[in-house]
Amino acid sequence: MKCIVKKNRNLLLIVFDIIIVVLGYILSLIFLDVKDLNVMLLAKEIVIYIVIYELYLNIFRLYQNMLEYEVGNDYIKYIFSSMFSIISIYIIGLIIDSPYLSFKIDVLAGVFISGMMIIYRLFLRSIVNNNSIFFITSIPCITLPKAAYLLSKE
């Protein structure tokens, strides 16, 4: 899996970002209990969400950094790109008078999207750097005599 992530890093990041934008938007509709969904209009607005989020992720150059070298400033950029995306989507929603691009939906979707982006990027970074808790080889081996010795010292 590590090899796949390293070879196709940018493509995987774009695909994961698109999936997260769609999930965040749908989760916000579910949490706010939106009724009377028009599927065609909803699909158009999801495309608007994807385009705006990808635009701001590229403006903030979040696909230029190497995944394993991301630092705290990069994660702050995710939050700012989400904030600017929320504002832009809200303005577009006012212009086109869309029922699904309301301020509450936009803010909740932005919170979901920025949170999920940071979490999955941290997860991928840990896989690429071999620092994942999911790799059993990185867990130190404590034998029974060693554990008994450590407990007797306390």
Side-chain angles (χ1 to χ4, degrees):
M1 180 162 178
K2 181 178 167 182
C3 216
I4 294 171
V5 171
K6 279 190 173 187
K7 285 182 182 177
N8 302 310
R9 182 176 309 146
N10 286 339
L11 180 63
L12 282 174
L13 291 178
I14 291 170
V15 169
F16 284 151
D17 287 344
I18 289 172
I19 291 170
I20 284 178
V21 168
V22 171
L23 282 175
Y25 185 63
I26 290 173
L27 280 174
S28 67
L29 292 174
I30 291 170
F31 271 82
L32 293 175
D33 201 24
V34 176
K35 304 285 186 211
D36 302 325
L37 292 175
N38 180 347
V39 177
M40 289 305 292
L41 183 59
L42 189 64
K44 290 177 186 175
E45 292 179 3
I46 286 176
V47 170
I48 292 172
Y49 258 87
I50 291 169
V51 168
I52 296 295
Y53 268 90
E54 289 299 318
L55 177 75
Y56 279 108
L57 288 171
N58 282 306
I59 288 173
F60 282 99
R61 301 174 54 95
L62 292 171
Y63 294 121
Q64 304 299 320
N65 295 341
M66 299 289 283
L67 186 64
E68 60 266 21
Y69 300 119
E70 285 185 337
V71 292
N73 290 339
D74 294 320
Y75 300 116
I76 299 296
K77 288 180 184 178
Y78 291 117
I79 295 170
F80 279 120
S81 78
S82 183
M83 285 176 22
F84 286 119
S85 297
I86 290 168
I87 293 168
S88 300
I89 291 169
Y90 178 67
I91 291 170
I92 290 171
L94 289 177
I95 292 171
I96 63 174
D97 194 31
S98 172
Y100 303 124
L101 295 180
S102 70
F103 187 70
K104 285 197 292 190
I105 293 172
D106 296 340
V107 170
L108 188 58
V111 169
F112 283 140
I113 292 167
S114 62
M116 285 189 288
M117 277 188 187
I118 291 171
I119 289 170
Y120 98 83
R121 295 258 178 140
L122 284 171
F123 177 75
L124 286 179
R125 179 181 175 200
S126 70
I127 289 174
V128 170
N129 288 337
N130 237 359
N131 294 333
S132 177
I133 61 170
F134 301 104
F135 292 121
I136 296 176
T137 58
S138 66
I139 298 173
C141 180
I142 297 180
T143 60
L144 191 56
K146 191 175 190 181
Y149 172 75
L150 292 173
L151 288 174
S152 68
K153 286 186 81 172
E154 291 179 7

